[in-house]
Structures are given as C-alpha cells and as structure tokens.
C-alpha cells in the first residue's frame, strides 16, 4: 500500500509539473494556432527571474531570504508576460495563419533568448536554493510527501482555479472563449481580436514564467532548460485537445500517472517510449484529443 501511494503521488507530482508547463501553451496554441517554439525559453525567463530575485534578497535582505520565493512567483509571471506581449506585438501577429513561418520564427527567437541567457548568466547551470520552509516532507501511510512537490501541486491547482474563474466569470475571459470558438463571428460582433490575441499571449507567456519559477525547486537551471520540456508541453496540449483547459488537465495527469507506474517496472527511457507509443495510438483513434472544441468554424 505504501509503495502504491508513493507511486501515485509521484504520478500526480509529474502530472502537476507537466500541467504547469503546458497550461500557458494551451492558451496560445488553442486560441491562435501559433506553434510557439519559444515557450520553453519563456519558462527560462521565469527561472532566471527567480534566480535574480534570490540573489537580491541574499545580498540586500539576508534576514528575509526565505521569502524571496513569494516575490519570485508574481515577478516571474509579470516579466515573462511582458516578454510575451512584446513578442506578439513585434512578430507573432504578422504570422497568423502561417504555421510553418511561425514555427521557424519562434524557433529563431528561442535560440536568441538562449544565447542572451548565456551572455548574461553564463553557460553553466546555476542553482536556486529553495526556501527553508519548503525543506522536509510529510510522512503518511509509510510514504514521504516532499513539501516542494506538494507546493507545486497546490500552486497548479490554484492557477487552474483562477484561470477557470477568469475565463468563465470575466468579460475578458468570455472574449477569449468567443475568439477561440469562432474568430470571424467574434470580430463581426465587435470584439477586437488582435487585442484579445495580445493579452492572451501575454497570459500564456506569464504562466510559462511561473512554470520556470516552480522548476527551480526541483534542480539547477540553465539556458537550455526549456528544450527539455517543450516536447512534453505540446504532447500534453495535443493529447488533451487543442483549446480545452479541462483536456490539458486530464492529459497532463494521465501522462504523469502512466509514465510513473510504467517507469517503476521498467526504466525512464523505456517508459518514455511506451508513453509516446500509447499517445500516438490514441491519437490515431481520436485525432481531436481527449476533449475537443465543438464549433461550426471547425466543421
């Protein structure tokens, strides 16, 4: 029982990390259909923002060094959102309905951001020391639940809740849904679709920054941290169903649980292969993913 609970928690932990990484991409990819290969580098922006804030606290407020992470989460969101807003204004909006061009352009942006990070912070990875209040864990039923992974899980659930409330209960959120379902009709009804695209891309980029901030709790960060997760992020979004937040949630936790239990009986490499094969087989049967947006513009 303790072994099963431990593996179940590990699966939920991996799923929460995948969801945190993919949720921002689900917004931009689902709304605009832009293949943003720079999404991982926006995570890198959030991770390095956390590192900089930690250094500021360590040098100027060492007595409050443990509270740097509380400041780092909203700061990572804001700075990554500003990067995303500038990227959409300067480049992405000129590449709508040109998926291959957007893929190549954002891939070039990702390389530029990686080299910029190397120039500023250096090529070697840097360590972000987790706050002391996240050390240790809870022992239940013979299994240990680390505070770091519990914090990430709670952070993901809070983000999903607030994002759901934003999309369902606010005027701006309903405009995002309208543009996602039928862009032409939304424009005919007076919705400024370019403005919706801009702040939606900023929100998705900000959530990528929060993902990068959370990843600093799990290990060192470097200029290529985003390349390790970009494939997994697209995999979660496509499996869940493009444009469906609930599908992204199901896809992330499903992949996390399956990969964890398969890895326990095999190895990490074989588990990765098996998960990819299962996803490909599922998409052959249901190409639209677990959940799909039903709209006349897609029929």
């Amino acid at each position: 029982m303790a072994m099963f609970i431990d593996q179940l928690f590990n699966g939920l932990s991996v799923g929460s990390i995948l969801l945190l990484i993919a949720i921002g991409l689900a917004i931009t990819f689902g709304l605009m259909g832009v293949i943003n290969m720079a999404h991982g580098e926006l995570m890198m922006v959030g991770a390095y923002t956390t590192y900089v804030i930690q250094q500021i606290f360590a040098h100027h407020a060492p007595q409050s060094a443990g509270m740097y992470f509380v400041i780092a989460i909203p700061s990572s969101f804001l700075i990554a959102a500003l990067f995303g807003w500038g990227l959409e204004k300067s480049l992405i909006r000129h590449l709508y309905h040109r998926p291959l061009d957007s893929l190549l352009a954002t891939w070039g942006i990702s390389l530029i951001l990686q080299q910029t990070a190397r120039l500023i912070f250096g090529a070697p990875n840097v360590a972000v020391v987790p706050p002391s209040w996240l050390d240790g864990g809870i022992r239940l039923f013979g299994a240990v639940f680390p505070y770091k992974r519990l914090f990430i899980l709670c952070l993901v659930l809070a983000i999903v809740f607030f994002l759901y409330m934003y999309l369902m209960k606010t005027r701006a959120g309903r405009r995002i849904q309208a543009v996602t379902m039928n862009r032409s009709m939304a424009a005919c009804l007076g919705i400024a679709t370019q403005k919706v695209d801009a702040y939606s891309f900023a929100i998705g980029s900000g959530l990528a920054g929060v993902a990068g901030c959370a990843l600093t709790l799990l290990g060192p960060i470097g200029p290529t941290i985003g390349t390790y997760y970009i494939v997994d992020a697209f995999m979660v979004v496509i499996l869940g169903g493009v444009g469906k937040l609930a599908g992204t949630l199901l896809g992330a936790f499903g992949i996390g649980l399956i990969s964890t239990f398969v890895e326990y009986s095999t190895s990490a490499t074989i588990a990765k292969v098996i998960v990819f094969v299962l996803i490909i087989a599922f998409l052959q049967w249901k190409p639209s993913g677990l959940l799909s947006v039903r709209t006349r513009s897609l029929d």
Side-chain angles (χ1 to χ4, degrees):
M1 178 61 71
M3 188 181 302
F4 175 79
I5 293 174
D6 188 52
Q7 292 302 312
L8 180 63
F9 175 74
N10 288 337
L12 293 175
S13 177
V14 172
S16 65
I17 294 169
L18 290 175
L19 178 60
L20 190 59
I21 294 168
I23 195 168
L25 187 64
I27 295 175
T28 56
F29 189 36
L31 176 66
M32 294 171 280
V34 173
I35 304 175
N36 181 19
M37 297 300 294
H39 184 78
E41 280 57 49
L42 293 169
M43 291 165 46
M44 178 195 70
V45 169
Y48 275 115
T49 299
T50 306
Y51 172 74
V52 170
I53 292 176
Q54 177 199 247
Q55 297 300 310
I56 292 174
F57 268 77
H59 288 89
H60 299 286
Q63 67 280 1
S64 304
M67 297 304 295
Y68 81 90
F69 204 76
V70 178
I71 306 298
I73 293 175
S75 300
S76 299
F77 178 87
L78 290 174
I79 293 177
L82 287 175
F83 264 87
W85 182 82
L87 180 62
E88 198 279 336
K89 287 287 187 181
S90 60
L91 179 66
I92 298 296
R93 68 168 43 192
H94 304 293
L95 298 176
Y96 291 145
H97 310 298
R98 296 161 60 185
L100 293 180
D101 292 341
S102 67
L103 186 151
L104 292 174
T106 54
W107 181 60
I109 292 295
S110 71
L111 296 179
I112 292 172
L113 291 176
Q114 287 183 26
Q115 293 302 321
T116 303
R118 289 189 179 96
L119 290 174
I120 297 174
F121 301 100
N125 290 352
V126 297
V128 178
V129 180
S132 58
W133 46 273
L134 286 178
D135 293 337
I138 301 174
R139 181 177 292 276
L140 290 174
F141 305 107
V144 178
F145 305 99
Y147 288 135
K148 296 174 186 177
R149 292 187 177 266
L150 286 172
F151 178 82
I152 293 175
L153 182 60
C154 293
L155 177 64
V156 170
L157 294 177
I159 289 174
V160 170
F161 173 76
F162 284 112
L163 187 59
Y164 174 82
M165 296 300 292
Y166 175 77
L167 292 175
M168 296 297 178
K169 303 299 182 180
T170 67
R171 180 176 297 179
R174 289 193 288 269
R175 287 176 178 173
I176 292 176
Q177 292 188 72
V179 175
T180 301
M181 291 181 179
N182 196 320
R183 177 178 294 270
S184 300
M185 182 60 70
C188 291
L189 295 174
I191 296 176
T193 57
Q194 286 192 344
K195 185 177 179 180
V196 172
D197 290 337
Y199 67 72
S200 298
F201 199 88
I203 292 172
S205 301
L207 293 175
V210 175
C213 177
L215 288 175
T216 61
L217 297 174
L218 304 178
I221 60 171
T224 59
I225 184 174
T227 59
Y228 298 130
Y229 295 100
I230 185 65
V231 174
D232 291 335
F234 274 105
M235 183 171 61
V236 169
V237 173
I238 294 173
L239 176 63
V242 177
K244 295 294 290 184
L245 182 61
T248 303
L249 189 147
L250 292 175
F253 283 111
I255 291 174
L257 290 170
I258 293 173
S259 62
T260 299
F261 279 99
V262 173
E263 183 178 340
Y264 178 76
S265 57
T266 57
S267 65
T269 303
I270 296 176
K272 196 84 170 179
V273 173
I274 292 175
V275 170
F276 270 116
V277 170
L278 290 175
I279 291 174
I280 292 172
F282 178 81
L283 292 177
Q284 291 293 320
W285 171 61
K286 195 173 182 182
S288 58
L290 292 170
L291 302 175
S292 59
V293 177
R294 293 191 177 275
T295 168
R296 294 188 182 193
S297 64
L298 298 178
D299 291 336

